[in-house]
Amino acid sequence: MKKTILKEYAKLIVQVGANVQKGQDVVINAGLDQPEFIKMLVEEAYKAGARHVQVNWSYLPLKKLDVRYQSMETLSTVNDWEKAKWQHMVDRLPAMIHIISDDPDGLKGMNVAKFAKASQATRKVVKPYRDQMENKYQWTIAAVPGEAWAKKMFPSVSKRQAVEKLWEAILYTARVTDDSVGAWQEHNADLIDRCKRLTELGIQSLHITADNGTDFTVELIEDSHWCGGGDTTIGGVFFNPNMPTEECFISPMKGKAEGIVYATKPLSYQGQLIENFSIRFHEGKAVEVHAEKNEEALKAMIAMDEGAAYLGEVALVPQSSPISASGLLFYNTLFDENAACHLALGAGFADTINGYQEKSLDDCRALGINESMIHTDFMIGCDSMAIDAACRDGRVVPIFRQGNWAF
Ligand code: ZN
């Protein structure tokens, strides 16, 4: 890929994604796949005024070795130096840039149950730090091609060609153009406008149906609003958590969902592909799951903790989005979630509550925001999807028809 275009992409991630502020620290989490690009990213961060840029390199095979050889106790321990690192982040609130490139099958063969149990333990220790940082710092997730990932998406061409094709797909869906910043401003404005209209409807519940059998009703929280096209920290810094992003989303009322949903895309969860699955909800809880492939992984996922079987997100994405239009399956949630309407199991977003800035996290949870260590999106959108909103004033308003916006 041309250096000038990659530079443009790096600039976009730093300025529009993370919106790095003068004097702010920056933490970049990245794999080993595109070191030259990460270098560009670091330079753009410094150019934007970053005080200190830290890159945390990771390599999936090492994670597998840790899970295999470490005792349960070691794997479940958060060391003092790691706690000090978290405390440092709480104190400095760095902008976090996550660059994903991992092989979707990279954790195949890993002992998922052992890893899940250890994660439960470590996340409990990390949670108080996370809670202190929530909504106070900017973060963004963007992608670069890894070889194994590219080969999975484009198996019939050479490694080099596959990487090039994946670059093209990433840059197209992330709206990288000669004027990327302008393109993002326009795109954000459209999403913000749609979210405003959805919020103004005062939706009590959404009824979602499709030809595949999906027939599902979910209630929304009265004092909440739709989000999309970026986010704002409590301190007032605007940023884009996901690049690309196509969704308008909200966190539903915990405990208020009924019916069945059929997934329309496989779910890549901890290195395993869960395929052709359905989830039945009763009183907001996933009470029955079926999957043609990797049902056990799905069951383990919803058993991660109490909130893992409840919903944290309802998101609307038209079938006409660039990712959907590309026709590609990315085997990665960042992209695939933006190809279709989706739900997420696990944690809700406290910042969808009106006036969340003046509320505590516990206040938001009391209003119906789900709490969990996981937040896993799965796709339910398709060409036949219809969504109707039952509004609090008694109106029923069409939101989606044939998989696209009805307004
Ligand atoms: Zn989403």
Side-chain angles (χ1 to χ4, degrees), residues 242 247 249 313 315 337 342 344 349 375 377:
N242 288 340
E247 59 176 357
F249 67 94
E313 179 188 359
E337 80 156 356
H342 56 273
F349 304 111
H375 176 96
D377 296 280

Side-chain angles (χ1 to χ4, degrees), residues 228-358:
D231 211 338
T232 307
T233 65
I234 287 177
V237 180
F238 185 79
F239 65 103
N240 280 283
N242 288 340
M243 309 194 94
T245 185
E246 303 289 338
E247 59 176 357
C248 292
F249 67 94
I250 197 162
S251 287
M253 171 72 92
K254 184 179 182 178
K256 300 282 184 186
E258 296 292 331
I260 190 161
V261 289
Y262 287 85
T264 49
K265 279 180 190 282
L267 166 62
S268 182
Y269 178 68
Q270 291 185 342
Q272 296 187 76
L273 266 194
I274 304 167
E275 290 180 58
N276 295 327
F277 62 99
S278 66
I279 305 178
R280 198 166 66 78
F281 289 88
H282 178 55
E283 291 175 353
K285 191 176 182 182
V287 288
E288 196 185 326
V289 302
H290 293 291
E292 268 174 32
K293 224 172 133 191
N294 284 321
E295 187 174 288
E296 285 316 303
L298 183 57
K299 284 183 172 161
M301 188 184 95
I302 64 168
M304 277 291 278
D305 58 25
E306 210 259 10
Y310 291 87
L311 292 170
E313 179 188 359
V314 176
L316 307 183
V317 181
Q319 293 292 104
S320 61
S321 89
I323 298 166
S324 190
S326 79
L328 293 168
L329 179 64
F330 284 79
Y331 302 96
N332 185 291
T333 304
L334 175 65
F335 293 88
D336 295 329
E337 80 156 356
N338 283 298
C341 289
H342 56 273
L343 303 174
L345 285 160
F349 304 111
D351 57 358
T352 58
I353 295 292
N354 297 339
Y356 72 94
Q357 296 95 330
E358 284 86 47

Side-chain angles (χ1 to χ4, degrees), residues 64 148 179 200 209 212 216 257 285:
K64 277 173 83 169
D179 177 25
E200 281 168 1
T209 54
N212 60 11
F216 173 74
K285 191 176 182 182

